[in-house]
Amino acid sequence: TNAEGTDHLVILILIVGLFSLLAKELPLGRLPGDISVKGEKYSFYFPIVTCIVISIIVSLFFKFFK
């Protein structure tokens, strides 16, 4: 029902909040495979591997709490 979906969303927000507090110690955003290009007047950073890892974690969360 809709209440279950809301409960899952609240739990996910709490997990993300707690995870963000601990994220400073984890290498997320600096994983091998993240793209970083630095020029003389510009820099470009795209954390592709970090995005994939976060996507897998969120997908597994929703799979188990379906």
Side-chain angles (χ1 to χ4, degrees):
T1 64
N2 192 19
E4 290 176 1
T6 304
D7 292 343
H8 290 138
L9 184 60
V10 170
I11 291 170
L12 179 65
I13 291 171
L14 288 173
I15 290 172
V16 169
L18 291 173
F19 181 74
S20 66
L21 294 174
L22 302 172
K24 293 179 182 178
E25 308 212 1
L26 296 173
L28 286 178
R30 299 178 305 272
L31 293 175
D34 287 346
I35 298 170
S36 177
V37 178
K38 294 181 183 177
E40 289 182 21
K41 297 184 180 183
Y42 69 93
S43 63
F44 175 77
Y45 181 71
F46 186 67
I48 185 92
V49 176
T50 300
C51 292
I52 292 170
V53 169
I54 291 172
S55 175
I56 290 170
I57 291 169
V58 171
S59 295
L60 289 172
F61 173 82
F62 281 114
K63 180 179 180 180
F64 290 120
F65 292 103
K66 190 173 182 180

